[in-house]
Amino acid sequence: MRVGLEGKRTLVTGAASGIGRAIAEAYAAEGATVAVHARSEERAAETLKAIAAAGGKAFAAPADLTQPAAIEGMCKAAIERLGGVDVVVNNAGVADYAKVVEMDEAMWDWIMAVNLKAPYLVSKHTLPAMIEQGTGGVQLFNASTNAKTADAEWTAYNTTKHGLVGFVRCLAAEVGEHNIRVNAICPGWIETKMAVELHENMARDLGEPYEKVYDESMRTNMMNALIPPTAIAEMAVYLAGEPGRFVTGQAINVCAGLSIH
């Protein structure tokens, strides 16, 4: 089946590592040009190197996602260099956990800024060009199965992901007339640097061996599986390409059954 990403102009946030890097590499492998967002050009270097080694086309699009002006500038520069924009992936995200009564206000603000406000701003600053082109497009968001659950001590993170899914559904209704599709992917635990760091903290707080905590938590799904970032990238390719042309307003789980286990 034809994927349909050849020649597409794409922007992927948080593409220095993990899921974002996997999506950027997958898009480039399908013939898209990728604006690789990271906090700095240095952080984007490994992704750019991997894409170039595979014969793909990509460039760095650095910005601090806690700074609205930086987001606007990054989007403008990326669209100008791409010559337009066909696919935007709001992948970047941060996570931490704490009880509400013990949570530092700065933690709440940081998680809200990166996970919820930044995607809104990236959409705000890329949609006008996408609409003006008149050829449709895709806005894709990395949410989480936490968008559909209630988890003690993960209140800030879950709140952003619940909000992101609501944003996706409403935005899909706003831009559907322009043939722009808007969807969220909801991963379970994925093997990323973020997952490692979180489980190191969890093991420390529980007073248990890291290896035990990581393996048991990561495999808490129906398939007892460890899920690689490439599994999310495969869904991102599907939703951005021709096979997903009639899918919009959805929040699709990729979690080996974690969400209903």
Side-chain angles (χ1 to χ4, degrees), residues 7 13 22 30 39 59 61 75 87 114 141 152 168 181 187-188 218 231 236 240 253 256-257:
T13 70
E30 292 292 341
R39 276 179 284 174
F59 60 88
C75 291
V87 181
V114 177
F141 298 77
V168 162
R181 309 192 307 276
M218 295 290 289
N253 296 340

Side-chain angles (χ1 to χ4, degrees), residues 1-64:
M1 181 179 290
R2 180 174 176 270
V3 175
L5 291 182
E6 300 87 353
K8 295 296 184 182
R9 301 159 296 181
T10 68
L11 167 63
V12 183
T13 70
S17 62
I19 293 171
R21 176 174 174 173
I23 293 172
E25 291 182 8
Y27 281 2
E30 292 292 341
T33 300
V34 188
V36 175
H37 163 265
R39 276 179 284 174
S40 65
E41 290 198 21
E42 292 75 18
R43 287 178 177 269
E46 288 301 313
T47 302
L48 295 178
K49 182 179 178 180
I51 290 174
K57 296 179 289 184
F59 60 88
D64 180 348

Side-chain angles (χ1 to χ4, degrees), residues 38-123:
R39 276 179 284 174
S40 65
E41 290 198 21
E42 292 75 18
R43 287 178 177 269
E46 288 301 313
T47 302
L48 295 178
K49 182 179 178 180
I51 290 174
K57 296 179 289 184
F59 60 88
D64 180 348
L65 295 186
T66 67
Q67 302 299 316
I71 295 172
E72 182 177 7
M74 180 271 291
C75 291
K76 181 178 179 180
I79 291 170
E80 183 174 344
R81 187 163 177 182
L82 287 167
V85 63
D86 302 300
V87 181
V88 174
V89 183
N90 275 285
N91 165 76
V94 295
D96 208 341
Y97 59 93
K99 293 180 180 179
V100 170
V101 295
E102 299 171 357
M103 188 186 304
D104 189 297
E105 188 175 342
M107 179 193 290
W108 177 273
D109 290 342
W110 170 61
I111 294 174
M112 293 293 156
V114 177
N115 290 7
L116 195 53
K117 186 173 182 178
Y120 144 69
L121 288 171
V122 170
S123 294

Side-chain angles (χ1 to χ4, degrees), residues 176-193:
E177 64 181 304
H178 301 289
N179 196 31
I180 296 172
R181 309 192 307 276
V182 186
N183 291 293
I185 300 174
C186 297
W189 279 114
I190 307 298
E191 291 192 290
T192 63
K193 181 181 177 182

Side-chain angles (χ1 to χ4, degrees), residues 109-197:
D109 290 342
W110 170 61
I111 294 174
M112 293 293 156
V114 177
N115 290 7
L116 195 53
K117 186 173 182 178
Y120 144 69
L121 288 171
V122 170
S123 294
K124 176 181 175 66
H125 296 305
T126 57
L127 275 169
M130 196 175 280
I131 292 169
E132 185 177 355
Q133 289 163 189
T135 54
V138 173
Q139 295 268 331
L140 185 59
F141 298 77
N142 185 1
S144 169
T145 53
N146 291 58
K148 304 175 183 183
T149 62
D151 302 285
E153 300 187 22
W154 291 86
T155 306
Y157 180 77
N158 282 30
T159 296
T160 60
K161 297 304 184 177
H162 279 256
L164 199 59
V165 169
F167 180 75
V168 162
R169 290 169 175 164
C170 293
L171 188 61
E174 285 188 18
V175 300
E177 64 181 304
H178 301 289
N179 196 31
I180 296 172
R181 309 192 307 276
V182 186
N183 291 293
I185 300 174
C186 297
W189 279 114
I190 307 298
E191 291 192 290
T192 63
K193 181 181 177 182
M194 179 188 290
V196 169
E197 292 173 348

